[in-house]
Amino acid sequence: YEIELVNREKLIIKDTFFNNHPNDLEYLKLENIPKRIEELDIFAACFFMLTRWEEYVNKNRDSHDRFPATESLAFKQGFLDRPVVNEYVEELKTMLLDLDSSLDFKKREFQLVLTHDVDQILKYPDILSGVREIVGDIIKRKSLILALNNLFKKIKTHLNLQNDPFDTFDYLMDISESVSTKSYFFFMGKGLTQFDNMYASHDDFVKRLIRKIKTRGHHIGIHPTYNAYNKNEQFYREKLELEENLKCNITFGREHFLRFEIPTTWQIWEDNNMVWDSTVGYADKEGFRCGICYEYSVFNILTRKKLNLKEKPLIVMEGSFATYQANINPGIMQDKILSLMTQVKKYNGDFVYLWHNSSFNTTKWKEYQHIYENVLN
């Protein structure tokens, strides 16, 4: 690769990858994923991380058909917690400035991108809801006190003596406003699986909530249902449903369960005129799946076309700790999140943070829920 500057100075970077694969798409083979880095080809390395072609050739998946963090080169080589693409870009800038110190690069500012996937809008939407948990308190957790506490919460909620435990929307908006930003709430339409349909987008509670979110100037997006990640027709129907029921244009969001398929999911979002997606983070591990903490334009590796769609890579999801790293110490979890945020601040990037509205006021989340607010203050 050769870059010639205005002052006629040249920067030459050796091509150690694509020259070895001159024919279209022939690089898309599992054996072409490097086992270790011996010579750094900045452009090939960035292409590898940003396009996620690794996930196209490595067919290993978890029980939800997701590419797990543990299969990634970044995890295996110990750099998942580093935004290596940002590091490469800074290295390239340094080389260019050595050739021409008058060069001026785009300035960025650190941003918090606070997102909330609304999987369940209420814990007690009807008289039977919550009963299973109360029974579990007695039989599985062997705690009558816990069962009685949950029973009293359920009764108070039905009598309108307290908010539903999952009705944390005002709290989340208050926190966002306290740090001078706005929240992104991603809502679900009608799905077809057991993982969907915890609420309906035309419910009265949803309508009142949407009005409140709009009034306070926060943002509304889509959380496509479980099998919409690789089904264009399903995605299209859900987007249409939400736009009709929520009375707003839907242009951004995140896939349910973080289900994602290269390059199908991105192409579906592109074909439905979406502006940005924020699915690409690992469910089982926090960190930099794309190796970057900036929004960037995505690329379809099969059609070899740059898409209009942008990706805002997800960096931290609370469930990556409390669900996939069960019994993790809350202090360790908080320190890890703060460490990742420090990395993002170093590059003036976007810290994309996911905390579900339903990850509060339950037995599971009691010891973790304070972390959400702590890391933002």
Side-chain angles (χ1 to χ4, degrees):
Y1 311 105
E2 182 176 296
I3 302 174
E4 183 172 344
L5 306 181
V6 175
N7 64 4
R8 298 298 179 88
E9 293 283 357
K10 292 182 180 181
L11 176 63
I12 299 173
I13 298 175
K14 185 178 179 181
D15 179 351
T16 63
F17 184 75
F18 287 111
N19 273 344
N20 299 326
H21 309 284
N23 298 319
D24 290 352
L25 306 183
E26 73 171 358
Y27 70 92
L28 290 175
K29 297 177 182 178
L30 185 61
E31 58 266 29
N32 290 330
I33 296 177
K35 300 296 185 296
R36 59 182 179 273
I37 307 300
E38 296 177 346
E39 289 185 281
L40 178 60
D41 179 336
I42 288 179
F43 296 108
C46 290
F47 185 81
F48 175 82
M49 294 301 299
L50 297 177
T51 63
R52 307 307 307 137
W53 69 259
E54 166 186 30
E55 302 178 25
Y56 181 80
V57 299
N58 184 340
K59 303 302 183 183
N60 289 325
R61 297 293 185 267
D62 69 9
S63 60
H64 294 288
D65 197 32
R66 299 174 301 198
F67 182 75
T70 50
E71 284 293 324
S72 70
L73 181 68
F75 178 82
K76 292 174 181 176
Q77 295 294 320
F79 62 88
L80 182 57
D81 59 351
R82 289 169 50 194
V84 291
V85 172
N86 294 102
E87 294 176 15
Y88 298 154
V89 169
E90 292 305 311
E91 185 176 341
L92 181 60
K93 286 181 182 178
T94 299
M95 290 187 286
L96 292 171
L97 286 170
D98 284 343
L99 298 175
D100 185 351
S101 60
S102 69
L103 290 174
D104 188 28
F105 297 100
K106 179 181 178 181
K107 301 294 190 298
R108 302 186 62 95
E109 292 185 2
F110 169 75
Q111 291 188 75
L112 288 168
V113 183
L114 306 181
T115 67
H116 315 288
D117 296 353
V118 186
D119 299 341
Q120 291 181 265
I121 209 160
L122 295 171
K123 186 176 182 181
Y124 304 126
D126 54 52
I127 197 66
L128 294 178
S129 53
V131 171
R132 182 177 179 181
E133 180 184 20
I134 294 169
V135 172
D137 292 336
I138 298 171
I139 298 175
K140 184 178 179 180
R141 289 174 282 278
K142 302 185 187 308
S143 174
L144 181 60
I145 293 175
L146 196 58
L148 289 173
N149 284 338
N150 280 324
L151 177 61
F152 290 147
K153 284 181 184 178
K154 177 176 171 61
I155 292 171
K156 286 181 179 179
T157 300
H158 287 306
L159 293 176
N160 293 319
L161 297 177
Q162 68 174 37
N163 282 350
D164 185 278
F166 291 171
D167 183 7
T168 57
F169 300 96
D170 281 316
Y171 167 75
L172 292 169
M173 288 188 281
D174 288 344
I175 295 300
S176 292
E177 290 166 11
S178 75
V179 293
S180 303
T181 191
K182 301 291 186 179
S183 279
Y184 291 87
F185 295 97
F186 302 144
F187 289 89
M188 301 180 74
K190 185 178 180 181
L192 303 172
T193 77
Q194 62 178 319
F195 302 105
D196 308 317
N197 304 321
M198 302 301 179
Y199 59 92
S201 64
H202 61 266
D203 285 348
D204 288 339
F205 181 86
V206 176
K207 291 179 180 178
R208 292 193 299 271
L209 174 60
I210 294 300
R211 286 196 294 268
K212 184 190 299 184
I213 292 171
K214 290 177 180 177
T215 298
R216 295 184 62 167
H218 295 256
H219 310 290
I220 297 164
I222 188 172
H223 193 40
T225 60
Y226 186 77
N227 63 0
Y229 75 109
N230 63 3
K231 293 180 174 56
N232 195 4
E233 300 82 2
Q234 180 71 16
F235 186 101
Y236 173 78
R237 286 196 302 269
E238 292 175 24
K239 183 185 180 209
L240 209 61
E241 173 197 336
L242 291 182
E243 289 184 329
E244 181 177 341
N245 290 339
L246 308 187
K247 309 301 181 188
C248 61
N249 291 328
I250 298 295
T251 60
F252 47 76
R254 175 184 296 121
E255 292 284 348
H256 193 30
F257 273 75
L258 302 185
R259 300 186 92 200
F260 179 77
E261 180 181 297
I262 281 291
T264 310
T265 306
W266 276 340
Q267 191 62 54
I268 288 173
W269 285 59
E270 172 84 359
D271 293 343
N272 284 277
N273 299 311
M274 300 295 286
V275 174
W276 59 262
D277 164 64
S278 188
T279 302
V280 192
Y282 290 116
D284 56 327
K285 195 73 178 169
E286 71 288 345
F288 302 95
R289 181 172 178 173
C290 303
I292 194 170
C293 58
Y294 297 163
E295 172 187 284
Y296 69 96
S297 298
V298 300
F299 183 80
N300 186 320
I301 56 171
L302 298 185
T303 63
R304 302 177 69 214
K305 290 182 179 179
K306 172 180 169 293
L307 307 184
N308 293 317
L309 179 73
K310 308 289 186 182
E311 179 65 32
K312 287 183 186 286
L314 174 63
I315 297 169
V316 170
M317 175 179 74
E318 87 283 49
S320 298
F321 295 94
T323 301
Y324 293 90
Q325 301 173 53
N327 301 316
I328 188 171
N329 180 279
I332 294 174
M333 174 178 171
Q334 181 168 310
D335 289 346
K336 182 64 175 180
I337 295 173
L338 287 171
S339 175
L340 290 168
M341 186 185 292
T342 298
Q343 289 267 39
V344 176
K345 287 180 177 178
K346 179 180 179 180
Y347 298 102
N348 293 314
D350 303 331
F351 185 72
V352 183
Y353 190 25
L354 163 57
W355 203 285
H356 295 73
N357 65 292
S358 52
S359 295
F360 298 92
N361 306 319
T362 68
T363 303
K364 174 183 176 180
W365 288 102
K366 185 177 180 180
E367 62 178 332
Y368 301 109
Q369 63 189 39
H370 65 281
I371 295 173
Y372 178 72
E373 187 173 351
N374 284 358
V375 302
L376 298 177
N377 293 319

